[in-house]
Each structure stands twice: as structure tokens, then as C-alpha cells.
Amino acid sequence: MQLSAQEEYGLRCLLRVAEGGVGGPVSVALIAEREGISHEYVARLMAPLKSAGLVSATRGAGGGYRLARPADQISVWEAILALGGPFFPEDFCECHPGQRRECVRSTDCAIRSLWQRADQVLRVLLESISL
């Protein structure tokens, strides 16, 4: 398991908003400059964070993004879910059937329970970490 680029960069953008949004909205240009990524990519990353209710946006010359709630009320897990989803989604096995259409281990898959447990542990940990 690893974070996708979208999850990593999106989380970094969210942290920039958290650290810089005390005095007002944080602009896409400032986030892009600080993170060394394009304005377009920042805007694309901020969209799911806004849809998930983690940030709010203000348009115009003095616009940008602010956290929708205090930083200590936004967990890293919420951000990961907004940006990419759980590490082990319910339909994981359906996405990796191997050579056969139906998995030969559909009833006694030891690896499925391993990934589900790992996902649960990561979820609990990341829910306990706030911005």
C-alpha cells in the first residue's frame, strides 16, 4: 500500500491551507509556489477537498481556500477519503480477479482479511491525527 500522488499532494495542499489560512484565504498561486506544483494541479486537488466539506473557497482577487472547520477537527483520514478513498475498498477483490473471472478464494481468502485488518488499523491511526 502507498499513497497515490493525488492523495499525497492533496494532503500537502490541505496542510498549506491549514498553516496559512489564519489571516485569510490561501490562494492557489501561493499553494502552488510553496509546493512546487502547477496552479492547475492545485485547483484539481482542491476540488474534492471542497466537495468533501474540508475547505471552502472564495472567488476574486483576494480569494482562495480556508479550512471549513478548525484544523484540529479535520482528520488525515477524512482528507485521504476525499482525495482517493480507503486503502482497501470493499470491491478490491473484484478489481483484481487474476486469470479467472471469479476468484478461486471467494470463501476462504486469507489475504483479504489481512488487507481489511491493515485498512482498519490505518483508518484508526489516521482518524486520530488531525491537521
Side-chain angles (χ1 to χ4, degrees):
M1 283 192 256
Q2 64 184 32
L3 289 177
S4 69
Q6 178 170 316
E7 292 161 341
E8 180 180 344
Y9 281 102
L11 188 54
R12 289 168 53 184
C13 291
L14 186 59
L15 289 168
R16 289 289 177 188
V17 172
E19 77 179 10
V22 175
V26 180
S27 70
V28 168
L30 181 62
I31 297 168
E33 177 187 324
R34 297 255 170 93
E35 290 304 320
I37 56 180
S38 73
H39 295 193
E40 294 79 16
Y41 193 40
V42 171
R44 198 169 12 156
L45 292 168
M46 296 307 289
L49 295 171
K50 183 178 177 215
S51 293
L54 301 180
V55 296
S56 61
T58 306
R59 293 182 177 226
Y65 291 93
R66 314 175 179 252
L67 295 180
R69 303 189 308 264
D72 64 350
Q73 294 179 18
I74 299 174
S75 73
V76 172
W77 182 252
E78 286 181 274
I80 297 296
L81 285 179
L83 293 160
F87 293 112
F88 185 80
E90 289 295 322
D91 65 347
F92 179 82
C93 292
E94 294 168 20
C95 298
H96 301 87
Q99 298 291 329
R100 297 184 177 186
R101 184 157 218 241
E102 298 295 323
C103 179
V104 297
R105 302 261 184 235
S106 61
T107 58
D108 65 343
C109 182
I111 198 78
R112 181 182 308 150
S113 62
L114 168 72
W115 292 135
Q116 287 173 335
R117 179 69 177 129
D119 183 73
Q120 180 183 22
V121 169
L122 280 170
R123 178 182 183 146
V124 169
L125 173 68
L126 296 177
E127 283 178 335
S128 72
I129 301 170
S130 63
L131 298 181

